[in-house]
Structures are given as C-alpha cells and as structure tokens.
Amino acid sequence: MEDIPRNAAGKPLRIKLATRLRLGCLSDSVPTLHRHFEAQTPGSEASLSDPIPCSRVSVDFNDVEGALLNIIGVEDVAIRVRKDGLPEAFVSTRRQSGLDSIRLKRAVSRVLPGYGVPELYAVDGPLSRSEKGQIDFAAIEQIIQAENSSSMSERALLVRDIVANLLLTDPAMITADSDFFLLGGTSLLLGKLSYFIRKQAGANISVADIFTNSTIKGIASLIEAEQGDTSMQTYRDDKAVDSISTLGYDYDLDDPLEISRGQTHPMSLIVQAIPILFFYPLKQRIHVCRSLALPTLFF
C-alpha cells in the first residue's frame, strides 16, 4: 500500500487490519511469493468494518528478462520458476565483462520490486542449448555447480551444506553470495542453523550475528573470525566421537539435545498447584482473622 490506513486525524488504524485485508492464516509452509500482497489505501472516511481491496502480487517474467537484457554485458537470459514460485534466472554475460550475480542483482533491484528480483546465476559465455535450440538447464547447472564448489572456502562449503539440509534444497546450486532468507530460511530456523554450526564447525555464532550476515560467505566469515587460524580438519579430529544421524545431521551422544517439560507435564502441574493448595488458603485465613480482629493462629 502507499500508506497505512489512517483516520481523519491522521492516526494509523491498525485495528482489524488483517481482517480487512482478508490475508488469512500464513505459515512457514506458504511459498515466499504468496506472502506478498498489494492493496489500495482506503480513505480516512472508511470505517473499521470496510474491507480493503487486496490481492497477491505477481511477477511478470517479461519484465525480469527485459531488466536483465538492458544491462550492458548481458548476452542472453533464461528464466524458470522454482518450487516456491519465485523465478531464477541464468544470465549469459560477455566474456571478461566483470558481471557476477551480485552486480546483476544490484542492477535489476533498481527497476524491479524486491519480491520480483530472481535468484541470479551468471554464466561466462553462451548458455547451453539442445539440438532443437531449447535451453539445456541441466548442462547449465553442471557448469554453475563446478564454479560454486571451486570458488568457496572449506568453511563456506560447510555452511552451504548445513543450509541446504535445513531448507531441503540442492547444495550445488547455492552460491557464496546466496542469502539464507532469500533461499527460504526463516527466523525460526536461525536457531537450528546456529546449533548445527556449533556442532559441525565448533564455532559459537549468535543468531543476531547470522541475521546481519545472512549470506553463505558472510556466515563463513563469522566462523573464521571465531576460530582464527584453527583449521576445520583440526576441529574434526578433536570431535571424533560416536554420533547418530537424524534428518541428515549428526548429533553427539555426549551432548544430546535438551528436552524440556511442557506445561501439561505432571511435574509442571504439581509445581503450579503449590500456590493454590497452600499459600492462597493461608492468605485467605489471615484476611478473615484481621477483618474479625481475631488472633491469627498457624498450625
């Protein structure tokens, strides 16, 4: 919206905003593109019961392709849709043009809305095509996978694999500049990411630091700053203990995950009942004795 709904005095009207927009219930399973909406700002005379016209945003792939082709040094563009509904673009750049995914993304961000900026892969040279002239995405992926693996440090590769397992995505298609959140990560998964980094890399990286350094390269730099000159191989040798595998991750038997008791656990219920059974009746007795001017006796 161009602005938050306001009343005649200019005060923001946040009450019933989700209901008026008819957004419904959203969860982490909702695709990223389906969490973005556009709406018309109602006038100040509208009541809190009036619905606000609202609809999901849509990405015009022709606009995305045109924005990329307008960049000097871009020769060809191939776009396809990911499982989450977002586009990803394979961009053929002129040799020695100096264009990479970061420069391409910075350029298209000036003309496209944030939700319309695709995941970008820069290919130095022409895009692979089949005999019929169709884009050969499998062949292009092999080239990108080889480039990604060769350009990453050992710590970056470890972070990449952890992120890929958390998000259930192909690690080979994750670049050093891939952002954890743009890949589909959420704030709820940050805690798990921090945990697995500590278990597999031996670095205590806070959630706040990952939040502000959310690219693969940025997270790897946090690990490097934490460990200094210590190599990953040295840490693996020190951590050679028995482990069990769960959902693709290794949990140390000597350091299991802490299991907390829920509020409905019998022990929790007993602890919560102590004030009701003992202190509340005692308080009531003291109150009655004082109101009747009687001596308070305790047994």
Side-chain angles (χ1 to χ4, degrees), residues 142-242:
Q142 291 181 356
I143 297 175
I144 294 174
Q145 291 170 5
E147 292 178 353
N148 290 344
S149 298
S150 61
S151 61
M152 289 189 193
S153 65
E154 187 178 7
R155 291 182 174 90
L157 289 173
L158 176 64
V159 174
R160 181 201 67 177
D161 293 340
I162 294 175
V163 170
N165 277 311
L166 277 176
L167 304 180
L168 301 178
T169 188
D170 184 6
M173 295 303 294
I174 298 178
T175 68
D177 299 311
S178 295
D179 189 280
F180 174 72
F181 295 105
L182 295 181
L183 290 172
T186 64
S187 57
L188 296 177
L189 290 176
L190 277 181
K192 292 185 178 180
L193 178 59
S194 176
Y195 170 81
F196 289 121
I197 289 176
R198 178 174 65 86
K199 299 304 295 182
Q200 298 188 28
N204 293 317
I205 308 299
S206 68
V207 170
D209 289 337
I210 299 177
F211 193 85
T212 55
N213 299 272
S214 53
T215 63
I216 302 300
K217 180 170 57 178
I219 299 173
S221 66
L222 295 175
I223 299 176
E224 184 176 0
E226 172 75 14
Q227 293 180 333
D229 296 332
T230 304
S231 65
M232 293 295 298
Q233 185 61 42
T234 302
Y235 175 75
R236 292 194 185 99
D237 294 341
D238 293 339
K239 290 288 291 181
V241 297
D242 294 334

Side-chain angles (χ1 to χ4, degrees), residues 50-97:
D50 292 340
I52 300 176
C54 177
S55 61
R56 284 194 184 125
V57 300
S58 60
V59 177
D60 190 331
F61 290 174
N62 291 327
D63 292 343
V64 177
E65 183 177 0
L68 288 168
L69 289 174
N70 285 333
I71 301 174
I72 299 176
V74 172
E75 299 288 343
D76 194 7
V77 176
I79 300 176
R80 68 178 180 182
V81 183
R82 301 190 319 198
K83 294 181 180 179
D84 57 3
L86 291 176
E88 59 181 2
F90 301 87
V91 183
S92 169
T93 61
R94 192 177 304 153
R95 296 187 183 279
Q96 298 180 349
S97 63

Side-chain angles (χ1 to χ4, degrees), residues 2 24 63 66 91 99 102 117 134 137 194 211 241 247 265 292:
E2 294 181 356
D63 292 343
V91 183
L99 290 175
I102 296 179
V117 177
Q134 298 178 343
F137 286 105
S194 176
F211 193 85
V241 297
L247 295 178
H265 191 276
L292 299 177

Side-chain angles (χ1 to χ4, degrees), residues 255-278:
D255 187 16
L257 289 175
E258 180 182 356
I259 302 177
S260 59
R261 296 190 178 95
Q263 294 183 353
T264 58
H265 191 276
M267 183 61 68
S268 300
L269 294 175
I270 293 174
V271 174
Q272 295 177 33
I274 290 177
I276 300 176
L277 296 176
F278 297 99

Side-chain angles (χ1 to χ4, degrees), residues 12-26:
L13 297 176
R14 301 181 180 90
I15 301 175
K16 296 184 178 180
L17 187 55
T19 302
R20 297 175 66 189
L21 291 169
R22 298 178 181 177
L23 296 181
C25 181
L26 301 179

